[in-house]
Amino acid sequence: MSRFIGLIGYPVKHSISPYFQQAALDYYQLDIRYQAWETLPGELGETVSRLRHPQNLGANVTVPYKESVLPLLDEIDELASLIGAVNTIVKRDDSLLGFNTDAHGFIQALHERANFEPEGKQAIILGAGGAARAVSFALVQKKAGSLTIINRTLERAEALANSVRSYQASIGLETKTVVLPWPTVTTPVTFEHCHLVVNCTTIGMKHSPEEGKSPLRLEAIPSSALVYDLIYNPSLTPLLQLAQRAGANILGGLPMLVYQGAASFELWTYRKAPVDIMLNKADEVLERC
Ligand code: NAP
């Protein structure tokens, strides 16, 4: 009997995950199909219940359900609970377990692709949604020196900063965490001493209302920083183009996407993910998108 893994989100038709996950499953000649399960708002409960059918092994969860899926699962792993978002569901002994592999993917890409170690570094995060939450906890766990969270909706940034601070207090880590209002993105002084800027907003994403735009202006981008855009389509976002012009180092979102997917693959299959095969397939598919 063929078995299935799904991608739950809306919309999912532009996702490249089905291609590189299938390439990894095929590498091991597993009789498993990875499918896009586009799920309308209001249908999430039904889609998650279907995961309990015997032929289904689990799923990835993407926008806009990474947070709303939590109450529908039987158990949530500790990191996913902290982050408050699940991007991977694994069925084990008829129970649905929720994990978050975005934090791992983010750090792995930073390490492998940019040779950047967060310990003691000053980081600025643009955004306060699910991705920003994963990135913030990942940076705190890696002992970043400071975290500045800038978001259009200030209350959302404050809520994230508060959860990061209580986590730090519980484990005795000391990342200085501050929040700034969105208009500060236009001020070069905001970015003066930072080592890492991470775009966790959707600004610049293809097929979005903000396609073709950058969250930062050229003048605000420090040449000495690494500018990391979580957006993977386009691979060279407007922000990364400006960062290149400013002389900064850059990193796009594709390696993170593949590394988080590789971690999910290992949770479903208990096999080592063929990361190079996944990266090559992701690159190839993205060129056609
Ligand atoms: P989300 O929860 O919907 O958060 C979106 C964020 O973007 C919020 O902070 C939102 O601010 C901000 N935003 C949207 N439009 C804006 C605008 N016009 N001006 C200023 N801020 C704006 O989405 P998410 O799941 O965190 O994903 C964010 C991005 O990360 C997406 O582009 C996604 O593709 C990418 N991502 C990449 C990976 C990867 O593996 N490479 C993994 C996860 C996510 P408000 O709070 O004010 O609404």
Side-chain angles (χ1 to χ4, degrees):
M1 174 178 80
S2 293
R3 287 167 305 157
F4 299 91
I5 297 169
L7 171 65
I8 301 173
Y10 188 84
V12 289
K13 62 175 184 286
H14 298 299
S15 174
I16 63 169
S17 293
Y19 298 94
F20 69 76
Q21 289 290 4
Q22 194 60 52
L25 295 164
D26 292 348
Y27 171 77
Y28 282 113
Q29 300 184 323
L30 300 172
D31 187 10
I32 301 173
R33 310 306 306 163
Y34 186 104
Q35 301 176 326
W37 295 342
E38 190 149 275
T39 299
L40 285 167
E43 291 175 353
L44 181 63
E46 203 181 305
T47 304
V48 172
S49 312
R50 271 204 302 274
L51 271 175
R52 298 183 190 274
H53 295 178
Q55 71 273 24
N56 295 325
L57 293 176
N60 274 135
V61 183
T62 186
V63 179
Y65 304 125
K66 285 185 185 180
E67 291 157 54
S68 49
V69 78
L70 265 78
L72 303 173
L73 304 178
D74 301 313
E75 272 179 56
I76 311 292
D77 144 273
E78 196 186 336
L79 180 61
S81 279
L82 269 176
I83 294 170
V86 158
N87 77 333
T88 305
I89 304 174
V90 181
K91 189 167 69 179
R92 276 195 200 138
D93 303 328
D94 293 330
S95 286
L96 299 181
L97 317 184
F99 295 87
N100 188 304
T101 63
D102 281 337
H104 167 83
F106 168 77
I107 291 293
Q108 190 83 359
L110 204 51
H111 178 74
E112 301 279 335
R113 301 284 153 163
N115 202 18
F116 184 100
E117 301 307 330
E119 185 164 353
K121 303 284 184 1
Q122 321 289 313
I124 296 187
I125 294 178
L126 309 176
R133 292 188 67 86
V135 166
S136 300
F137 281 99
L139 288 172
V140 166
Q141 288 189 328
K142 290 290 173 188
K143 303 181 181 162
S146 78
L147 214 59
T148 301
I149 303 165
I150 308 179
N151 193 48
R152 178 178 62 177
T153 309
L154 192 62
E155 303 77 50
R156 215 174 171 194
E158 276 163 354
L160 170 54
N162 285 336
S163 33
V164 165
R165 287 185 197 114
S166 10
Y167 171 62
Q168 285 169 3
S170 71
I171 56 164
L173 286 176
E174 288 178 10
T175 302
K176 186 180 166 214
T177 304
V178 296
V179 164
L180 291 177
W182 184 252
T184 56
V185 293
T186 57
T187 335
V189 73
T190 308
F191 299 89
E192 233 171 18
H193 302 293
C194 82
H195 304 105
L196 175 68
V197 182
V198 190
N199 178 33
C200 304
T201 76
T202 46
I203 302 173
M205 193 165 87
K206 200 163 173 182
H207 310 297
S208 83
E210 318 295 333
E211 179 170 354
K213 296 186 186 152
S214 165
L216 301 187
R217 296 197 324 231
L218 178 64
E219 310 74 68
I221 302 175
S223 60
S224 54
L226 170 67
V227 178
Y228 187 169
D229 200 333
L230 298 200
I231 292 170
Y232 62 86
N233 192 8
S235 49
L236 195 59
T237 61
L239 170 64
L240 295 182
Q241 289 178 28
L242 289 180
Q244 265 185 339
R245 276 174 59 195
N249 288 325
I250 61 166
L251 180 60
L254 193 67
M256 171 175 166
L257 182 77
V258 171
Y259 286 120
Q260 63 77 30
S264 304
F265 177 92
E266 291 178 359
L267 286 166
W268 296 314
T269 65
Y270 301 95
R271 291 170 195 253
K272 189 160 175 40
V275 174
D276 288 343
I277 286 173
M278 296 169 93
L279 268 169
N280 287 342
K281 180 54 89 176
D283 265 335
E284 177 197 316
V285 175
L286 199 54
E287 267 176 33
R288 292 190 253 127
C289 285

